[in-house]
Amino acid sequence: MVVGAIIDHTCRPICCEMWPCLITDGRFSGATRGASIGHISPEAAAKGPIAIVRDGDIINIDIPSKKLNIQLSEDEIRKRTDELPEFEPKVKTGYLARYAKIVSSADKGAVFPK
């Protein structure tokens, strides 16, 4: 669970520490309470910023600007990113392995290149 301040179109906070927020680099379904933000890109597997988030980190959510900002120094972000292990796919054969290896990131449409 991620907890943070969410800003509405008037730039006023509409929820804060008491509301949980869902932030994921994948898909999700079902209802949740608070903001639900999916398809964060670049993904954790590509060492995107979502991979370095730890329990207790504060993330500012600015919906009108479509921005997420983690409250960490550039040095801490760099340190955590450097500590990440290389991604090892769980599926190594078949169509799912091909998809994971070749398909673009969500921000580019999650499609096979032309």
XYZ file of all heavy atoms in Angstrom:
867
model
N 0.839 -1.173 0.000
C 0.000 0.000 0.000
C 0.884 1.235 0.000
O 1.880 1.297 0.699
C -0.898 0.000 1.222
C -1.706 1.265 1.340
S -2.886 1.309 2.685
C -1.900 0.991 4.092
N 0.510 2.193 -0.784
C 1.220 3.469 -0.851
C 0.297 4.529 -0.296
O -0.892 4.551 -0.595
C 1.600 3.802 -2.309
C 2.242 5.163 -2.389
C 2.511 2.729 -2.864
N 0.809 5.401 0.515
C 0.016 6.482 1.075
C 0.663 7.792 0.678
O 1.876 7.933 0.756
C -0.057 6.363 2.617
C -0.830 7.513 3.203
C -0.698 5.040 3.005
N -0.127 8.729 0.227
C 0.432 10.011 -0.169
C -0.655 11.042 -0.354
O -1.822 10.776 -0.124
N -0.271 12.212 -0.769
C -1.225 13.285 -1.018
C -1.640 13.255 -2.481
O -0.805 13.120 -3.364
C -0.607 14.630 -0.682
N -2.914 13.341 -2.729
C -3.432 13.376 -4.094
C -4.007 14.768 -4.329
O -4.754 15.282 -3.514
C -4.525 12.313 -4.295
C -3.945 10.930 -4.007
C -5.099 12.389 -5.703
C -4.947 9.840 -4.050
N -3.639 15.352 -5.454
C -4.046 16.712 -5.779
C -5.112 16.667 -6.866
O -4.965 15.975 -7.860
C -2.831 17.527 -6.286
C -1.638 17.402 -5.330
C -3.193 18.966 -6.542
C -1.880 17.888 -3.938
N -6.217 17.409 -6.688
C -7.265 17.441 -7.720
C -7.007 18.588 -8.698
O -5.980 19.255 -8.636
C -8.653 17.508 -7.093
C -8.973 18.860 -6.449
O -8.152 19.793 -6.538
O -10.051 18.978 -5.853
N -7.952 18.809 -9.615
C -7.763 19.827 -10.652
C -7.641 21.244 -10.095
O -7.178 22.146 -10.778
C -8.903 19.758 -11.675
C -10.218 20.196 -11.120
N -10.981 19.374 -10.307
C -10.895 21.352 -11.239
C -12.081 20.030 -9.959
N -12.050 21.220 -10.506
N -8.035 21.463 -8.847
C -7.901 22.785 -8.236
C -6.597 22.906 -7.456
O -6.355 23.915 -6.820
C -9.073 23.066 -7.278
O -9.004 22.131 -6.194
C -10.407 22.979 -7.982
N -5.780 21.848 -7.508
C -4.505 21.788 -6.804
C -4.674 21.764 -5.287
O -3.799 22.172 -4.542
C -3.567 22.920 -7.222
S -3.079 22.762 -8.941
N -5.843 21.284 -4.825
C -6.052 21.086 -3.397
C -5.901 19.607 -3.083
O -6.294 18.766 -3.887
C -7.466 21.519 -2.994
C -7.692 23.014 -3.091
C -9.105 23.321 -2.726
N -9.963 22.606 -3.696
C -11.260 22.712 -3.772
N -11.911 23.465 -2.937
N -11.954 22.060 -4.676
N -5.371 19.289 -1.912
C -5.304 17.869 -1.545
C -6.715 17.304 -1.392
O -7.567 17.925 -0.776
C -4.582 17.874 -0.205
C -3.986 19.222 -0.060
C -4.760 20.154 -0.932
N -6.961 16.145 -1.997
C -8.268 15.512 -1.852
C -8.196 14.262 -0.988
O -9.213 13.713 -0.611
C -8.912 15.185 -3.216
C -8.007 14.283 -4.049
C -9.266 16.452 -3.951
C -8.645 13.792 -5.324
N -7.022 13.789 -0.699
C -6.878 12.728 0.284
C -5.457 12.729 0.791
O -4.578 13.307 0.186
C -7.272 11.373 -0.275
S -6.142 10.671 -1.444
N -5.276 12.152 1.907
C -3.929 12.125 2.466
C -3.702 10.852 3.237
O -4.177 9.817 2.824
C -3.648 13.364 3.294
S -5.058 14.239 3.883
N -2.961 10.919 4.328
C -2.452 9.734 4.974
C -3.480 8.675 5.326
O -3.142 7.522 5.451
C -1.682 10.132 6.222
C -0.382 10.803 5.862
C -0.186 12.095 6.604
O -0.877 12.322 7.606
O 0.650 12.876 6.155
N -4.734 9.033 5.490
C -5.703 8.022 5.906
C -6.256 7.209 4.738
O -6.938 6.230 4.948
C -6.833 8.668 6.678
C -7.757 9.434 5.760
S -8.398 10.933 6.344
C -7.346 12.200 6.251
N -5.970 7.571 3.505
C -6.507 6.878 2.340
C -5.415 6.086 1.649
O -4.391 6.652 1.279
C -7.070 7.870 1.345
C -8.327 8.548 1.764
C -8.688 8.956 3.002
C -9.405 8.903 0.914
N -9.898 9.551 2.978
C -10.366 9.536 1.710
C -9.637 8.754 -0.440
C -11.558 10.011 1.192
C -10.814 9.237 -0.954
C -11.760 9.847 -0.148
N -5.634 4.811 1.430
C -4.640 4.046 0.671
C -4.750 4.358 -0.821
O -5.813 4.717 -1.310
C -5.004 2.596 0.947
C -6.470 2.644 1.234
C -6.729 3.976 1.887
N -3.655 4.221 -1.521
C -3.620 4.427 -2.966
C -2.960 3.207 -3.601
O -1.988 2.693 -3.059
C -2.806 5.660 -3.328
S -3.362 7.158 -2.527
N -3.476 2.772 -4.726
C -2.884 1.660 -5.450
C -2.066 2.227 -6.597
O -2.586 2.970 -7.429
C -3.975 0.737 -5.996
C -3.496 -0.349 -6.960
C -2.645 -1.365 -6.217
C -4.671 -1.014 -7.631
N -0.777 1.892 -6.619
C 0.100 2.289 -7.709
C 0.805 1.025 -8.174
O 1.450 0.348 -7.376
C 1.146 3.334 -7.260
C 0.453 4.588 -6.727
C 2.084 3.693 -8.402
C 1.400 5.615 -6.141
N 0.663 0.690 -9.459
C 1.242 -0.546 -9.961
C 1.770 -0.375 -11.376
O 1.285 0.462 -12.134
C 0.213 -1.696 -9.920
O 0.801 -2.884 -10.446
C -1.042 -1.366 -10.726
N 2.761 -1.192 -11.733
C 3.248 -1.193 -13.106
C 2.526 -2.266 -13.920
O 2.861 -2.518 -15.061
C 4.766 -1.366 -13.176
C 5.251 -2.646 -12.542
O 4.437 -3.379 -11.950
O 6.461 -2.917 -12.613
N 1.543 -2.879 -13.332
C 0.760 -3.902 -14.026
C -0.700 -3.509 -14.141
O -1.083 -2.378 -13.874
N -1.478 -4.482 -14.531
C -2.920 -4.283 -14.589
C -3.516 -4.627 -13.239
O -2.905 -5.297 -12.430
C -3.531 -5.202 -15.647
C -3.127 -4.844 -17.041
C -3.801 -5.788 -18.003
N -3.517 -5.359 -19.352
C -4.299 -5.630 -20.370
N -5.388 -6.343 -20.201
N -3.987 -5.203 -21.570
N -4.723 -4.185 -13.010
C -5.436 -4.547 -11.799
C -6.921 -4.526 -12.111
O -7.361 -3.919 -13.080
C -5.109 -3.591 -10.641
C -5.452 -2.152 -10.934
C -6.664 -1.614 -10.584
C -4.524 -1.339 -11.571
C -6.973 -0.295 -10.858
C -4.815 -0.011 -11.847
C -6.041 0.507 -11.492
N -7.674 -5.224 -11.317
C -9.119 -5.205 -11.496
C -9.774 -5.171 -10.128
O -9.137 -5.439 -9.115
C -9.585 -6.440 -12.274
O -9.308 -7.602 -11.537
N -11.028 -4.837 -10.129
C -11.744 -4.763 -8.871
C -11.715 -3.356 -8.307
O -11.011 -2.482 -8.789
N -12.493 -3.182 -7.285
C -12.602 -1.866 -6.669
C -11.556 -1.696 -5.590
O -11.060 -2.657 -5.016
C -13.992 -1.700 -6.065
N -11.205 -0.474 -5.358
C -10.290 -0.143 -4.275
C -10.739 1.184 -3.697
O -11.523 1.897 -4.299
C -8.829 -0.086 -4.769
O -7.984 0.083 -3.630
C -8.596 1.044 -5.747
N -10.254 1.508 -2.567
C -10.583 2.784 -1.953
C -9.415 3.726 -2.198
O -8.267 3.356 -2.024
C -10.779 2.568 -0.470
C -11.261 3.778 0.233
C -11.550 3.425 1.658
N -12.340 4.494 2.223
C -12.982 4.404 3.340
N -12.943 3.289 4.025
N -13.669 5.422 3.797
N -9.689 4.922 -2.610
C -8.619 5.864 -2.917
C -8.255 5.792 -4.393
O -8.914 5.140 -5.192
N -7.189 6.438 -4.737
C -6.753 6.490 -6.136
C -6.182 5.150 -6.572
O -5.550 4.449 -5.799
C -5.701 7.576 -6.314
N -6.424 4.798 -7.827
C -5.858 3.588 -8.427
C -5.126 4.006 -9.690
O -5.733 4.522 -10.619
C -6.965 2.592 -8.777
O -7.653 2.211 -7.624
N -3.829 3.773 -9.728
C -3.004 4.203 -10.847
C -2.253 2.984 -11.359
O -1.453 2.403 -10.633
C -2.024 5.314 -10.416
C -2.810 6.495 -9.827
C -1.151 5.745 -11.576
C -1.959 7.503 -9.102
N -2.516 2.594 -12.603
C -1.898 1.404 -13.163
C -1.043 1.715 -14.370
O -1.004 2.837 -14.863
N -0.362 0.703 -14.833
C 0.495 0.766 -16.024
C 1.608 1.801 -15.875
O 1.967 2.480 -16.832
C -0.328 1.048 -17.283
C -1.358 0.010 -17.564
N -1.061 -1.195 -18.161
C -2.680 -0.027 -17.296
C -2.143 -1.918 -18.262
N -3.144 -1.242 -17.741
N 2.163 1.920 -14.665
C 3.300 2.816 -14.450
C 4.447 2.344 -15.347
O 4.729 1.160 -15.445
C 3.749 2.789 -12.975
C 2.609 3.202 -12.039
C 4.990 3.658 -12.765
C 2.102 4.597 -12.241
N 5.091 3.275 -16.012
C 6.146 2.909 -16.938
C 7.291 3.902 -16.812
O 7.041 5.084 -16.592
C 5.572 2.944 -18.356
O 6.487 2.480 -19.283
N 8.545 3.498 -16.897
C 9.004 2.135 -17.148
C 8.726 1.222 -15.953
O 8.684 1.670 -14.812
C 10.500 2.268 -17.412
C 10.897 3.564 -16.820
C 9.679 4.433 -16.804
N 8.540 -0.056 -16.252
C 8.172 -1.044 -15.269
C 9.343 -1.372 -14.342
O 10.497 -1.085 -14.636
C 7.696 -2.324 -15.969
C 6.413 -2.167 -16.751
C 6.596 -1.600 -18.156
O 7.731 -1.241 -18.534
O 5.600 -1.514 -18.876
N 9.022 -2.014 -13.234
C 10.049 -2.426 -12.275
C 11.071 -3.349 -12.930
O 12.268 -3.263 -12.644
C 9.403 -3.107 -11.073
N 10.614 -4.230 -13.812
C 11.525 -5.171 -14.478
C 12.563 -4.445 -15.332
O 13.650 -4.962 -15.566
C 10.740 -6.157 -15.339
N 12.234 -3.221 -15.776
C 13.162 -2.418 -16.568
C 13.918 -1.426 -15.674
O 14.474 -0.449 -16.156
C 12.406 -1.677 -17.665
N 13.906 -1.701 -14.382
C 14.528 -0.827 -13.374
C 13.903 0.558 -13.358
O 14.577 1.567 -13.110
C 16.046 -0.746 -13.548
C 16.746 -2.067 -13.271
C 18.237 -1.895 -13.181
C 18.876 -3.221 -12.790
N 20.301 -3.097 -12.562
N 12.608 0.603 -13.614
C 11.884 1.856 -13.508
C 11.803 2.293 -12.058
O 12.030 1.502 -11.138
N 11.472 3.547 -11.801
C 11.436 4.073 -10.439
C 10.545 3.280 -9.480
O 10.822 3.234 -8.291
C 10.924 5.502 -10.615
C 11.262 5.859 -12.013
C 11.185 4.575 -12.796
N 9.510 2.635 -9.983
C 8.617 1.884 -9.105
C 9.356 0.724 -8.423
O 8.968 0.265 -7.358
C 7.367 1.399 -9.868
C 6.281 0.955 -8.880
C 7.710 0.304 -10.868
C 4.930 0.734 -9.508
N 10.455 0.273 -9.006
C 11.218 -0.844 -8.443
C 11.938 -0.479 -7.144
O 12.282 -1.365 -6.369
C 12.234 -1.347 -9.463
N 12.169 0.789 -6.891
C 12.938 1.186 -5.707
C 12.068 1.617 -4.537
O 12.584 1.916 -3.462
C 13.950 2.307 -6.037
C 13.229 3.591 -6.423
C 14.925 1.863 -7.111
C 14.096 4.820 -6.388
N 10.746 1.632 -4.717
C 9.845 2.068 -3.652
C 9.879 1.060 -2.506
O 9.832 -0.147 -2.720
C 8.401 2.235 -4.179
C 7.447 2.595 -3.039
C 8.350 3.294 -5.262
N 9.977 1.576 -1.293
C 9.998 0.740 -0.089
C 8.881 1.173 0.850
O 8.380 2.300 0.761
C 11.339 0.877 0.624
C 12.503 0.356 -0.192
C 13.791 0.475 0.562
N 14.919 0.038 -0.274
C 16.170 0.359 -0.030
N 16.486 1.101 1.013
N 17.127 -0.083 -0.834
N 8.508 0.272 1.761
C 7.500 0.608 2.761
C 7.900 1.892 3.474
O 9.064 2.064 3.857
C 7.354 -0.512 3.793
C 6.614 -1.713 3.251
O 5.958 -1.591 2.198
O 6.681 -2.777 3.889
N 6.947 2.792 3.631
C 7.193 4.045 4.331
C 7.598 5.197 3.434
O 7.593 6.342 3.880
N 7.949 4.919 2.174
C 8.283 6.006 1.250
C 7.045 6.855 0.987
O 5.924 6.351 0.933
C 8.802 5.461 -0.082
C 10.209 4.907 0.016
O 10.888 5.159 1.025
O 10.623 4.205 -0.927
N 7.253 8.132 0.795
C 6.159 9.053 0.502
C 6.175 9.365 -0.987
O 7.213 9.744 -1.540
C 6.278 10.346 1.329
C 6.159 10.008 2.821
C 5.220 11.360 0.895
C 6.446 11.169 3.740
N 5.020 9.189 -1.610
C 4.871 9.476 -3.040
C 3.807 10.553 -3.195
O 2.699 10.415 -2.699
C 4.459 8.215 -3.816
C 5.541 7.142 -3.684
C 4.193 8.551 -5.279
C 5.162 5.812 -4.284
N 4.176 11.625 -3.865
C 3.216 12.687 -4.179
C 2.552 12.347 -5.500
O 3.237 12.070 -6.488
C 3.904 14.049 -4.271
C 4.437 14.494 -2.942
O 3.785 14.335 -1.926
N 5.640 15.041 -2.940
N 1.222 12.385 -5.508
C 0.437 12.061 -6.695
C -0.228 13.340 -7.178
O -1.030 13.932 -6.470
C -0.627 10.996 -6.370
C 0.037 9.748 -5.800
C -1.464 10.676 -7.605
C -0.935 8.768 -5.181
N 0.127 13.765 -8.383
C -0.444 14.976 -8.980
C -1.227 14.542 -10.210
O -0.669 14.406 -11.300
C 0.680 15.948 -9.327
C 0.167 17.270 -9.862
O -1.022 17.364 -10.241
O 0.969 18.220 -9.928
N -2.512 14.306 -10.030
C -3.348 13.781 -11.112
C -3.463 14.755 -12.283
O -3.292 14.351 -13.428
C -4.725 13.339 -10.575
C -4.520 12.119 -9.658
C -5.691 13.019 -11.712
C -5.748 11.662 -8.929
N -3.712 16.054 -12.065
C -3.828 16.957 -13.217
C -2.573 16.993 -14.088
O -2.659 17.091 -15.303
C -4.093 18.325 -12.577
C -4.662 18.028 -11.243
C -3.995 16.743 -10.801
N -1.403 16.894 -13.463
C -0.149 16.932 -14.216
C 0.316 15.558 -14.654
O 1.348 15.437 -15.324
C 0.951 17.582 -13.370
O 0.606 18.905 -13.047
N -0.412 14.511 -14.233
C -0.057 13.123 -14.556
C 1.365 12.811 -14.101
O 2.172 12.265 -14.842
C -0.223 12.855 -16.051
C -1.633 13.071 -16.536
C -1.741 12.829 -18.014
C -3.163 13.111 -18.477
N -3.322 12.938 -19.903
N 1.656 13.169 -12.836
C 3.005 12.954 -12.302
C 2.948 12.254 -10.951
O 2.071 12.521 -10.136
C 3.733 14.278 -12.143
C 4.045 14.951 -13.452
C 4.901 16.169 -13.232
C 5.095 16.901 -14.525
N 6.291 16.624 -15.206
N 3.926 11.376 -10.757
C 4.181 10.750 -9.462
C 5.588 11.129 -9.074
O 6.507 11.023 -9.878
C 4.087 9.221 -9.565
C 2.762 8.637 -10.008
C 2.900 7.135 -10.197
C 1.685 8.937 -8.999
N 5.787 11.581 -7.859
C 7.122 11.950 -7.392
C 7.364 11.324 -6.030
O 6.595 11.533 -5.100
C 7.271 13.471 -7.295
C 7.252 14.110 -8.651
O 8.076 13.795 -9.493
N 6.307 15.001 -8.881
N 8.442 10.554 -5.931
C 8.820 9.956 -4.663
C 9.708 10.945 -3.926
O 10.563 11.593 -4.532
C 9.513 8.597 -4.873
C 9.689 7.878 -3.548
C 10.821 8.744 -5.624
C 10.026 6.409 -3.684
N 9.484 11.108 -2.638
C 10.255 12.069 -1.860
C 11.553 11.418 -1.390
O 11.684 11.007 -0.238
C 9.430 12.586 -0.687
C 8.293 13.464 -1.123
C 7.559 14.095 0.051
O 7.864 13.861 1.209
N 6.568 14.896 -0.265
N 12.494 11.328 -2.307
C 13.832 10.816 -2.028
C 14.846 11.723 -2.711
O 14.541 12.314 -3.752
C 14.009 9.397 -2.585
C 13.166 8.281 -1.999
C 13.361 6.999 -2.795
C 13.511 8.058 -0.535
N 16.025 11.788 -2.159
C 17.082 12.565 -2.798
C 17.552 11.833 -4.052
O 17.375 10.620 -4.188
C 18.266 12.752 -1.837
O 18.914 11.502 -1.626
N 18.158 12.571 -4.969
C 18.712 11.958 -6.186
C 19.754 10.900 -5.823
O 19.840 9.863 -6.470
C 19.325 13.022 -7.104
C 18.297 13.929 -7.757
C 17.321 13.181 -8.647
O 17.750 12.263 -9.373
O 16.124 13.506 -8.598
N 20.539 11.155 -4.766
C 21.544 10.182 -4.332
C 20.897 8.886 -3.862
O 21.378 7.799 -4.176
C 22.417 10.757 -3.212
C 23.393 11.814 -3.709
O 23.680 11.832 -4.929
O 23.865 12.613 -2.882
N 19.804 8.991 -3.094
C 19.121 7.786 -2.608
C 18.480 7.029 -3.765
O 18.528 5.800 -3.805
C 18.065 8.149 -1.554
C 17.331 6.955 -0.978
C 18.208 5.983 -0.185
O 19.338 6.339 0.205
O 17.743 4.853 0.050
N 17.903 7.740 -4.726
C 17.321 7.094 -5.904
C 18.404 6.342 -6.664
O 18.230 5.176 -7.036
C 16.614 8.126 -6.804
C 15.355 8.651 -6.103
C 16.270 7.521 -8.169
C 14.703 9.823 -6.796
N 19.531 6.983 -6.884
C 20.655 6.361 -7.601
C 21.171 5.139 -6.835
O 21.409 4.086 -7.409
C 21.760 7.396 -7.814
C 22.811 7.013 -8.804
C 23.797 8.139 -9.151
N 23.796 9.336 -8.334
C 23.110 10.454 -8.602
N 22.371 10.529 -9.690
N 23.171 11.499 -7.809
N 21.310 5.257 -5.509
C 21.805 4.155 -4.673
C 20.862 2.954 -4.764
O 21.299 1.826 -4.986
C 21.924 4.627 -3.230
C 22.342 3.553 -2.245
C 22.406 4.148 -0.835
C 22.614 3.089 0.206
N 21.396 2.590 0.802
N 19.573 3.198 -4.612
C 18.602 2.099 -4.674
C 18.558 1.455 -6.056
O 18.449 0.244 -6.179
C 17.210 2.592 -4.288
C 17.060 2.935 -2.825
C 15.627 3.272 -2.523
N 15.430 3.773 -1.176
C 14.244 4.034 -0.651
N 13.139 3.826 -1.353
N 14.141 4.494 0.577
N 18.648 2.282 -7.084
C 18.638 1.749 -8.453
C 19.874 0.882 -8.693
O 19.765 -0.201 -9.276
C 18.571 2.893 -9.482
O 17.397 3.677 -9.229
C 18.504 2.358 -10.901
N 21.021 1.329 -8.237
C 22.258 0.557 -8.401
C 22.208 -0.779 -7.662
O 22.857 -1.735 -8.064
C 23.469 1.357 -7.926
C 23.793 2.534 -8.830
O 23.264 2.585 -9.976
O 24.553 3.423 -8.399
N 21.445 -0.844 -6.575
C 21.337 -2.070 -5.778
C 20.372 -3.096 -6.368
O 20.334 -4.238 -5.905
C 20.883 -1.731 -4.354
C 21.903 -0.965 -3.549
C 21.347 -0.461 -2.229
O 20.118 -0.557 -1.990
O 22.152 0.047 -1.421
N 19.592 -2.696 -7.372
C 18.616 -3.629 -7.938
C 19.303 -4.773 -8.672
O 20.250 -4.549 -9.422
C 17.689 -2.893 -8.929
C 16.708 -1.895 -8.338
C 16.004 -1.142 -9.460
C 15.695 -2.586 -7.436
N 18.799 -5.992 -8.474
C 19.366 -7.115 -9.230
C 18.896 -7.069 -10.680
O 17.903 -6.402 -11.002
C 18.782 -8.342 -8.516
C 17.499 -7.849 -7.930
C 17.731 -6.404 -7.579
N 19.596 -7.760 -11.551
C 19.151 -7.867 -12.939
C 17.833 -8.629 -12.966
O 17.631 -9.571 -12.191
C 20.194 -8.586 -13.796
C 21.426 -7.753 -14.077
C 21.105 -6.446 -14.803
O 20.317 -6.457 -15.771
O 21.650 -5.412 -14.386
N 16.948 -8.238 -13.843
C 15.651 -8.901 -13.956
C 15.834 -10.292 -14.533
O 16.531 -10.482 -15.530
C 14.711 -8.082 -14.844
C 13.411 -8.770 -15.108
C 12.473 -8.916 -14.098
C 13.116 -9.284 -16.362
C 11.269 -9.555 -14.334
C 11.919 -9.919 -16.607
C 10.994 -10.054 -15.586
N 15.213 -11.255 -13.900
C 15.238 -12.644 -14.355
C 13.795 -13.062 -14.609
O 13.006 -13.211 -13.667
C 15.872 -13.533 -13.281
C 16.068 -14.965 -13.691
C 17.108 -15.142 -14.795
O 18.087 -14.396 -14.831
O 16.904 -16.039 -15.621
N 13.400 -13.225 -15.884
C 12.005 -13.584 -16.161
C 11.646 -14.955 -15.588
O 12.472 -15.868 -15.571
C 11.931 -13.596 -17.685
C 13.326 -13.714 -18.161
C 14.208 -13.147 -17.086
N 10.408 -15.064 -15.090
C 9.937 -16.333 -14.541
C 9.664 -17.337 -15.651
O 9.892 -18.518 -15.490
C 8.675 -16.109 -13.712
C 8.925 -15.299 -12.462
C 7.643 -15.044 -11.696
C 7.923 -14.137 -10.508
N 6.714 -13.756 -9.821
N 9.137 -16.847 -16.767
C 8.831 -17.715 -17.900
C 9.949 -17.540 -18.924
O 10.212 -16.426 -19.368
C 7.458 -17.354 -18.518
C 7.160 -18.227 -19.711
C 6.359 -17.461 -17.472
N 10.590 -18.647 -19.315
C 11.764 -18.546 -20.192
C 11.562 -19.157 -21.567
O 12.437 -19.051 -22.415
C 12.956 -19.198 -19.504
C 13.279 -18.507 -18.193
C 14.441 -19.150 -17.501
C 14.533 -18.664 -16.104
N 15.508 -17.807 -15.721
N 10.417 -19.816 -21.787
C 10.149 -20.418 -23.094
C 8.704 -20.139 -23.491
O 7.876 -19.778 -22.658
C 10.376 -21.949 -23.067
O 9.474 -22.536 -22.125
C 11.808 -22.293 -22.706
N 8.442 -20.305 -24.771
C 7.074 -20.164 -25.267
C 6.704 -18.731 -25.616
O 7.530 -17.823 -25.610
N 5.406 -18.567 -25.911
C 4.912 -17.268 -26.367
C 5.008 -16.184 -25.301
O 5.307 -15.026 -25.605
C 3.468 -17.385 -26.856
C 3.362 -18.114 -28.168
C 2.794 -19.379 -28.242
C 3.847 -17.541 -29.335
C 2.703 -20.055 -29.455
C 3.767 -18.201 -30.553
C 3.193 -19.458 -30.596
O 3.114 -20.118 -31.785
N 4.760 -16.537 -24.045
C 4.843 -15.531 -22.992
C 6.279 -15.017 -22.835
O 6.505 -13.823 -22.642
C 4.323 -16.084 -21.665
C 4.195 -15.076 -20.525
C 3.341 -13.880 -20.931
C 3.613 -15.747 -19.293
N 7.257 -15.902 -22.965
C 8.658 -15.481 -22.902
C 8.990 -14.560 -24.072
O 9.679 -13.549 -23.905
C 9.578 -16.697 -22.907
N 8.493 -14.900 -25.249
C 8.722 -14.054 -26.436
C 8.088 -12.679 -26.231
O 8.704 -11.651 -26.515
C 8.131 -14.733 -27.669
C 8.282 -13.922 -28.933
C 7.748 -14.702 -30.146
N 7.918 -13.949 -31.349
C 6.932 -13.319 -31.981
N 5.700 -13.396 -31.538
N 7.168 -12.636 -33.064
N 6.874 -12.664 -25.726
C 6.169 -11.414 -25.468
C 6.972 -10.544 -24.494
O 7.219 -9.366 -24.747
C 4.780 -11.711 -24.899
C 3.962 -10.490 -24.575
C 3.182 -9.879 -25.546
C 3.970 -9.933 -23.304
C 2.421 -8.757 -25.253
C 3.225 -8.813 -22.994
C 2.456 -8.237 -23.975
O 1.720 -7.127 -23.689
N 7.398 -11.136 -23.374
C 8.138 -10.386 -22.356
C 9.451 -9.830 -22.888
O 9.880 -8.744 -22.498
C 8.388 -11.280 -21.148
N 10.083 -10.566 -23.776
C 11.386 -10.152 -24.305
C 11.278 -9.060 -25.369
O 12.121 -8.167 -25.449
C 12.101 -11.365 -24.893
C 13.481 -11.083 -25.419
C 14.125 -12.343 -25.924
C 15.527 -12.058 -26.435
N 16.177 -13.250 -26.955
N 10.230 -9.108 -26.177
C 10.166 -8.261 -27.368
C 9.211 -7.073 -27.254
O 9.483 -6.005 -27.792
C 9.783 -9.116 -28.603
C 10.841 -10.197 -28.818
C 9.629 -8.259 -29.844
C 10.482 -11.206 -29.881
N 8.101 -7.227 -26.553
C 7.065 -6.195 -26.532
C 7.554 -4.931 -25.826
O 8.285 -4.998 -24.839
C 5.786 -6.744 -25.864
C 4.791 -5.653 -25.559
C 5.155 -7.786 -26.766
N 7.128 -3.795 -26.337
C 7.532 -2.502 -25.776
C 6.876 -2.260 -24.417
O 5.938 -2.939 -24.024
C 7.153 -1.379 -26.738
O 5.748 -1.307 -26.885
N 7.363 -1.253 -23.727
C 6.838 -0.853 -22.431
C 5.416 -0.299 -22.576
O 4.992 0.076 -23.670
C 7.767 0.221 -21.857
O 7.366 0.585 -20.567
N 4.696 -0.241 -21.467
C 3.304 0.235 -21.476
C 3.179 1.656 -22.028
O 2.216 1.971 -22.708
C 2.701 0.159 -20.079
N 4.173 2.503 -21.757
C 4.077 3.877 -22.242
C 4.241 3.976 -23.755
O 3.944 4.997 -24.363
C 5.102 4.791 -21.552
C 6.546 4.440 -21.872
O 6.845 3.244 -22.048
O 7.359 5.364 -21.951
N 4.673 2.888 -24.381
C 4.804 2.839 -25.842
C 3.758 1.922 -26.462
O 3.872 1.543 -27.626
C 6.217 2.391 -26.208
C 7.281 3.380 -25.762
C 8.678 2.851 -26.037
C 9.721 3.816 -25.570
N 9.777 4.011 -24.139
N 2.777 1.509 -25.682
C 1.665 0.743 -26.197
C 1.689 -0.749 -25.906
O 0.760 -1.462 -26.247
N 2.767 -1.267 -25.316
C 2.899 -2.693 -25.025
C 2.612 -3.537 -26.270
O 1.815 -4.463 -26.253
C 1.999 -3.095 -23.858
N 3.282 -3.193 -27.364
C 3.069 -3.875 -28.636
C 4.390 -4.412 -29.185
O 5.462 -3.992 -28.770
C 2.427 -2.919 -29.671
C 1.036 -2.484 -29.238
C 3.315 -1.705 -29.925
N 4.281 -5.352 -30.126
C 5.465 -5.850 -30.831
C 5.970 -4.752 -31.752
O 5.192 -4.022 -32.354
C 5.128 -7.094 -31.665
C 4.949 -8.324 -30.831
C 3.690 -8.812 -30.549
C 6.045 -9.013 -30.334
C 3.512 -9.957 -29.795
C 5.894 -10.170 -29.578
C 4.619 -10.630 -29.294
N 7.287 -4.602 -31.885
C 7.813 -3.577 -32.800
C 7.489 -3.943 -34.245
O 7.320 -5.106 -34.579
C 9.322 -3.604 -32.550
C 9.594 -4.938 -31.943
C 8.336 -5.366 -31.255
N 7.419 -2.931 -35.080
C 7.116 -3.173 -36.515
C 8.354 -3.634 -37.226
O 9.447 -3.374 -36.916
C 6.583 -1.903 -37.153
C 5.241 -1.531 -36.622
C 4.716 -0.313 -37.328
C 3.338 0.015 -36.796
N 2.715 1.099 -37.461
